[in-house]
Amino acid sequence: MTKPLLMPLLLLFYILNGKQLDLLIVWALAAAFFGDVFLMWSEKKLLLLAGIVAFLLPFLGSLLFLISDSLLAFDMFTDKKQTNHAGIMFNYILAQALIVFGVVN
């Protein structure tokens, strides 16, 4: 029952000690908190799904940015120019959309 307290404590520490408040970090910590809370009642399928989504959105957005930036870096620093620009843009747009979706919800 104490696990959901971790994210609000980390969020409070971040707010009090961060040099500049980044709303994406605030959102990611809040999403992790709600994920923890929803998973406490995981026997209810809707809350289990809500918990999984709450955890997945911030990490998926980060992962997609990592993929698109890694593809760009590979293209820039190698002689093999094999980058699929459509793939990069797909990952980038999807990551942005997930962040906006998460912020709106």
Side-chain angles (χ1 to χ4, degrees):
M1 286 297 241
T2 59
K3 186 178 181 220
L5 295 176
L6 178 61
M7 291 305 131
L9 289 174
L10 286 173
L11 179 57
L12 180 63
F13 177 81
Y14 174 70
I15 290 170
L16 294 175
N17 295 295
K19 293 180 180 176
Q20 184 176 2
L21 194 64
D22 185 335
L23 293 180
L24 289 177
I25 293 173
V26 171
W27 174 78
L29 290 170
F33 164 73
F34 285 111
D36 285 337
V37 170
F38 292 145
L39 290 179
M40 288 173 59
W41 295 286
S42 61
E43 67 275 358
K44 297 182 180 183
K45 290 182 181 180
L46 184 60
L47 292 177
L48 174 63
L49 180 61
I52 291 169
V53 169
F55 281 121
L56 182 63
L57 284 177
F59 296 114
L60 184 58
S62 298
L63 180 62
L64 289 170
F65 275 122
L66 178 65
I67 291 169
S68 65
D69 286 351
S70 295
L71 290 171
L72 284 172
F74 180 79
D75 191 45
M76 290 173 64
F77 295 109
T78 64
D79 292 331
K80 298 177 183 179
K81 305 290 184 195
Q82 299 178 358
T83 301
N84 177 352
H85 294 287
I88 292 170
M89 287 308 297
F90 174 79
N91 283 320
Y92 180 76
I93 292 168
L94 184 58
Q96 292 286 18
L98 287 173
I99 288 170
V100 170
F101 177 75
V103 170
V104 169
N105 290 322

PDB file of all heavy atoms in Angstrom, residues 32-50:
ATOM      1  N   ALA A  32       2.817   7.763 -13.516  1.00  0.00           N
ATOM      2  CA  ALA A  32       3.310   6.596 -12.768  1.00  0.00           C
ATOM      3  C   ALA A  32       2.533   6.439 -11.458  1.00  0.00           C
ATOM      4  O   ALA A  32       2.223   5.315 -11.041  1.00  0.00           O
ATOM      5  CB  ALA A  32       4.806   6.739 -12.506  1.00  0.00           C
ATOM      6  N   PHE A  33       2.220   7.555 -10.812  1.00  0.00           N
ATOM      7  CA  PHE A  33       1.417   7.495  -9.584  1.00  0.00           C
ATOM      8  C   PHE A  33       0.053   6.868  -9.866  1.00  0.00           C
ATOM      9  O   PHE A  33      -0.385   5.959  -9.165  1.00  0.00           O
ATOM     10  CB  PHE A  33       1.252   8.898  -8.983  1.00  0.00           C
ATOM     11  CG  PHE A  33       0.153   8.984  -7.960  1.00  0.00           C
ATOM     12  CD1 PHE A  33       0.319   8.417  -6.709  1.00  0.00           C
ATOM     13  CD2 PHE A  33      -1.048   9.609  -8.266  1.00  0.00           C
ATOM     14  CE1 PHE A  33      -0.702   8.479  -5.767  1.00  0.00           C
ATOM     15  CE2 PHE A  33      -2.067   9.681  -7.331  1.00  0.00           C
ATOM     16  CZ  PHE A  33      -1.892   9.111  -6.070  1.00  0.00           C
ATOM     17  N   PHE A  34      -0.625   7.375 -10.905  1.00  0.00           N
ATOM     18  CA  PHE A  34      -1.941   6.824 -11.226  1.00  0.00           C
ATOM     19  C   PHE A  34      -1.839   5.364 -11.653  1.00  0.00           C
ATOM     20  O   PHE A  34      -2.724   4.560 -11.336  1.00  0.00           O
ATOM     21  CB  PHE A  34      -2.642   7.670 -12.292  1.00  0.00           C
ATOM     22  CG  PHE A  34      -3.171   8.952 -11.742  1.00  0.00           C
ATOM     23  CD1 PHE A  34      -2.604  10.159 -12.107  1.00  0.00           C
ATOM     24  CD2 PHE A  34      -4.218   8.956 -10.836  1.00  0.00           C
ATOM     25  CE1 PHE A  34      -3.079  11.347 -11.582  1.00  0.00           C
ATOM     26  CE2 PHE A  34      -4.705  10.136 -10.304  1.00  0.00           C
ATOM     27  CZ  PHE A  34      -4.141  11.345 -10.678  1.00  0.00           C
ATOM     28  N   GLY A  35      -0.760   5.016 -12.340  1.00  0.00           N
ATOM     29  CA  GLY A  35      -0.551   3.614 -12.689  1.00  0.00           C
ATOM     30  C   GLY A  35      -0.458   2.745 -11.456  1.00  0.00           C
ATOM     31  O   GLY A  35      -1.081   1.678 -11.375  1.00  0.00           O
ATOM     32  N   ASP A  36       0.311   3.194 -10.457  1.00  0.00           N
ATOM     33  CA  ASP A  36       0.417   2.446  -9.194  1.00  0.00           C
ATOM     34  C   ASP A  36      -0.941   2.301  -8.509  1.00  0.00           C
ATOM     35  O   ASP A  36      -1.303   1.222  -8.040  1.00  0.00           O
ATOM     36  CB  ASP A  36       1.380   3.144  -8.234  1.00  0.00           C
ATOM     37  CG  ASP A  36       2.839   2.963  -8.614  1.00  0.00           C
ATOM     38  OD1 ASP A  36       3.159   1.987  -9.321  1.00  0.00           O
ATOM     39  OD2 ASP A  36       3.657   3.793  -8.190  1.00  0.00           O
ATOM     40  N   VAL A  37      -1.685   3.398  -8.465  1.00  0.00           N
ATOM     41  CA  VAL A  37      -2.993   3.371  -7.800  1.00  0.00           C
ATOM     42  C   VAL A  37      -3.959   2.436  -8.535  1.00  0.00           C
ATOM     43  O   VAL A  37      -4.624   1.602  -7.913  1.00  0.00           O
ATOM     44  CB  VAL A  37      -3.582   4.804  -7.701  1.00  0.00           C
ATOM     45  CG1 VAL A  37      -5.029   4.769  -7.231  1.00  0.00           C
ATOM     46  CG2 VAL A  37      -2.736   5.650  -6.749  1.00  0.00           C
ATOM     47  N   PHE A  38      -4.030   2.571  -9.860  1.00  0.00           N
ATOM     48  CA  PHE A  38      -4.948   1.720 -10.620  1.00  0.00           C
ATOM     49  C   PHE A  38      -4.586   0.242 -10.482  1.00  0.00           C
ATOM     50  O   PHE A  38      -5.468  -0.610 -10.405  1.00  0.00           O
ATOM     51  CB  PHE A  38      -4.963   2.114 -12.095  1.00  0.00           C
ATOM     52  CG  PHE A  38      -5.581   3.455 -12.364  1.00  0.00           C
ATOM     53  CD1 PHE A  38      -5.080   4.258 -13.371  1.00  0.00           C
ATOM     54  CD2 PHE A  38      -6.653   3.924 -11.634  1.00  0.00           C
ATOM     55  CE1 PHE A  38      -5.641   5.492 -13.642  1.00  0.00           C
ATOM     56  CE2 PHE A  38      -7.220   5.165 -11.889  1.00  0.00           C
ATOM     57  CZ  PHE A  38      -6.712   5.953 -12.901  1.00  0.00           C
ATOM     58  N   LEU A  39      -3.300  -0.057 -10.453  1.00  0.00           N
ATOM     59  CA  LEU A  39      -2.883  -1.464 -10.366  1.00  0.00           C
ATOM     60  C   LEU A  39      -3.145  -2.068  -8.994  1.00  0.00           C
ATOM     61  O   LEU A  39      -3.125  -3.285  -8.839  1.00  0.00           O
ATOM     62  CB  LEU A  39      -1.420  -1.608 -10.753  1.00  0.00           C
ATOM     63  CG  LEU A  39      -1.123  -1.373 -12.235  1.00  0.00           C
ATOM     64  CD1 LEU A  39       0.364  -1.524 -12.513  1.00  0.00           C
ATOM     65  CD2 LEU A  39      -1.921  -2.300 -13.120  1.00  0.00           C
ATOM     66  N   MET A  40      -3.405  -1.236  -7.996  1.00  0.00           N
ATOM     67  CA  MET A  40      -3.762  -1.773  -6.675  1.00  0.00           C
ATOM     68  C   MET A  40      -5.088  -2.534  -6.749  1.00  0.00           C
ATOM     69  O   MET A  40      -5.344  -3.421  -5.944  1.00  0.00           O
ATOM     70  CB  MET A  40      -3.854  -0.646  -5.647  1.00  0.00           C
ATOM     71  CG  MET A  40      -2.510  -0.071  -5.275  1.00  0.00           C
ATOM     72  SD  MET A  40      -2.634   1.377  -4.208  1.00  0.00           S
ATOM     73  CE  MET A  40      -3.498   0.720  -2.796  1.00  0.00           C
ATOM     74  N   TRP A  41      -5.936  -2.168  -7.703  1.00  0.00           N
ATOM     75  CA  TRP A  41      -7.224  -2.836  -7.895  1.00  0.00           C
ATOM     76  C   TRP A  41      -7.228  -3.557  -9.235  1.00  0.00           C
ATOM     77  O   TRP A  41      -8.185  -3.486  -9.999  1.00  0.00           O
ATOM     78  CB  TRP A  41      -8.363  -1.810  -7.824  1.00  0.00           C
ATOM     79  CG  TRP A  41      -8.463  -1.195  -6.475  1.00  0.00           C
ATOM     80  CD1 TRP A  41      -8.948  -1.782  -5.347  1.00  0.00           C
ATOM     81  CD2 TRP A  41      -8.035   0.115  -6.101  1.00  0.00           C
ATOM     82  NE1 TRP A  41      -8.852  -0.903  -4.302  1.00  0.00           N
ATOM     83  CE2 TRP A  41      -8.297   0.267  -4.726  1.00  0.00           C
ATOM     84  CE3 TRP A  41      -7.455   1.178  -6.789  1.00  0.00           C
ATOM     85  CZ2 TRP A  41      -7.999   1.430  -4.036  1.00  0.00           C
ATOM     86  CZ3 TRP A  41      -7.163   2.336  -6.103  1.00  0.00           C
ATOM     87  CH2 TRP A  41      -7.428   2.452  -4.741  1.00  0.00           C
ATOM     88  N   SER A  42      -6.171  -4.275  -9.499  1.00  0.00           N
ATOM     89  CA  SER A  42      -5.993  -4.897 -10.817  1.00  0.00           C
ATOM     90  C   SER A  42      -6.967  -6.038 -11.077  1.00  0.00           C
ATOM     91  O   SER A  42      -7.057  -6.518 -12.199  1.00  0.00           O
ATOM     92  CB  SER A  42      -4.557  -5.378 -10.983  1.00  0.00           C
ATOM     93  OG  SER A  42      -4.245  -6.338 -10.000  1.00  0.00           O
ATOM     94  N   GLU A  43      -7.697  -6.470 -10.055  1.00  0.00           N
ATOM     95  CA  GLU A  43      -8.688  -7.518 -10.313  1.00  0.00           C
ATOM     96  C   GLU A  43      -9.840  -6.974 -11.165  1.00  0.00           C
ATOM     97  O   GLU A  43     -10.559  -7.731 -11.792  1.00  0.00           O
ATOM     98  CB  GLU A  43      -9.217  -8.134  -9.012  1.00  0.00           C
ATOM     99  CG  GLU A  43     -10.036  -7.201  -8.148  1.00  0.00           C
ATOM    100  CD  GLU A  43      -9.203  -6.319  -7.221  1.00  0.00           C
ATOM    101  OE1 GLU A  43      -7.963  -6.446  -7.203  1.00  0.00           O
ATOM    102  OE2 GLU A  43      -9.795  -5.503  -6.523  1.00  0.00           O
ATOM    103  N   LYS A  44     -10.005  -5.666 -11.172  1.00  0.00           N
ATOM    104  CA  LYS A  44     -11.002  -5.044 -12.050  1.00  0.00           C
ATOM    105  C   LYS A  44     -10.312  -4.720 -13.375  1.00  0.00           C
ATOM    106  O   LYS A  44      -9.367  -3.940 -13.419  1.00  0.00           O
ATOM    107  CB  LYS A  44     -11.566  -3.781 -11.406  1.00  0.00           C
ATOM    108  CG  LYS A  44     -12.309  -4.080 -10.127  1.00  0.00           C
ATOM    109  CD  LYS A  44     -12.904  -2.844  -9.526  1.00  0.00           C
ATOM    110  CE  LYS A  44     -13.624  -3.219  -8.251  1.00  0.00           C
ATOM    111  NZ  LYS A  44     -14.281  -2.099  -7.629  1.00  0.00           N
ATOM    112  N   LYS A  45     -10.780  -5.341 -14.423  1.00  0.00           N
ATOM    113  CA  LYS A  45     -10.081  -5.259 -15.711  1.00  0.00           C
ATOM    114  C   LYS A  45      -9.913  -3.822 -16.215  1.00  0.00           C
ATOM    115  O   LYS A  45      -8.881  -3.482 -16.769  1.00  0.00           O
ATOM    116  CB  LYS A  45     -10.791  -6.106 -16.755  1.00  0.00           C
ATOM    117  CG  LYS A  45     -10.645  -7.589 -16.497  1.00  0.00           C
ATOM    118  CD  LYS A  45     -11.304  -8.407 -17.574  1.00  0.00           C
ATOM    119  CE  LYS A  45     -11.137  -9.877 -17.238  1.00  0.00           C
ATOM    120  NZ  LYS A  45     -11.733 -10.745 -18.226  1.00  0.00           N
ATOM    121  N   LEU A  46     -10.908  -2.974 -16.015  1.00  0.00           N
ATOM    122  CA  LEU A  46     -10.812  -1.595 -16.492  1.00  0.00           C
ATOM    123  C   LEU A  46      -9.702  -0.844 -15.757  1.00  0.00           C
ATOM    124  O   LEU A  46      -8.938  -0.096 -16.371  1.00  0.00           O
ATOM    125  CB  LEU A  46     -12.153  -0.874 -16.317  1.00  0.00           C
ATOM    126  CG  LEU A  46     -12.203   0.546 -16.861  1.00  0.00           C
ATOM    127  CD1 LEU A  46     -11.921   0.560 -18.361  1.00  0.00           C
ATOM    128  CD2 LEU A  46     -13.549   1.181 -16.577  1.00  0.00           C
ATOM    129  N   LEU A  47      -9.568  -1.059 -14.450  1.00  0.00           N
ATOM    130  CA  LEU A  47      -8.506  -0.394 -13.692  1.00  0.00           C
ATOM    131  C   LEU A  47      -7.144  -0.976 -14.030  1.00  0.00           C
ATOM    132  O   LEU A  47      -6.151  -0.252 -14.045  1.00  0.00           O
ATOM    133  CB  LEU A  47      -8.785  -0.474 -12.195  1.00  0.00           C
ATOM    134  CG  LEU A  47      -9.981   0.345 -11.719  1.00  0.00           C
ATOM    135  CD1 LEU A  47     -10.227   0.134 -10.230  1.00  0.00           C
ATOM    136  CD2 LEU A  47      -9.785   1.819 -12.010  1.00  0.00           C
ATOM    137  N   LEU A  48      -7.082  -2.270 -14.308  1.00  0.00           N
ATOM    138  CA  LEU A  48      -5.828  -2.876 -14.754  1.00  0.00           C
ATOM    139  C   LEU A  48      -5.389  -2.245 -16.074  1.00  0.00           C
ATOM    140  O   LEU A  48      -4.229  -1.849 -16.229  1.00  0.00           O
ATOM    141  CB  LEU A  48      -5.990  -4.387 -14.916  1.00  0.00           C
ATOM    142  CG  LEU A  48      -4.792  -5.129 -15.511  1.00  0.00           C
ATOM    143  CD1 LEU A  48      -3.579  -5.014 -14.600  1.00  0.00           C
ATOM    144  CD2 LEU A  48      -5.138  -6.579 -15.760  1.00  0.00           C
ATOM    145  N   LEU A  49      -6.310  -2.108 -17.001  1.00  0.00           N
ATOM    146  CA  LEU A  49      -5.995  -1.490 -18.284  1.00  0.00           C
ATOM    147  C   LEU A  49      -5.574  -0.037 -18.098  1.00  0.00           C
ATOM    148  O   LEU A  49      -4.599   0.416 -18.704  1.00  0.00           O
ATOM    149  CB  LEU A  49      -7.191  -1.584 -19.228  1.00  0.00           C
ATOM    150  CG  LEU A  49      -7.010  -0.971 -20.608  1.00  0.00           C
ATOM    151  CD1 LEU A  49      -5.874  -1.655 -21.351  1.00  0.00           C
ATOM    152  CD2 LEU A  49      -8.300  -1.063 -21.397  1.00  0.00           C
ATOM    153  N   ALA A  50      -6.280   0.698 -17.244  1.00  0.00           N
ATOM    154  CA  ALA A  50      -5.928   2.099 -16.981  1.00  0.00           C
ATOM    155  C   ALA A  50      -4.523   2.188 -16.384  1.00  0.00           C
ATOM    156  O   ALA A  50      -3.738   3.076 -16.729  1.00  0.00           O
ATOM    157  CB  ALA A  50      -6.947   2.741 -16.051  1.00  0.00           C
TER     158      ALA A  50
END
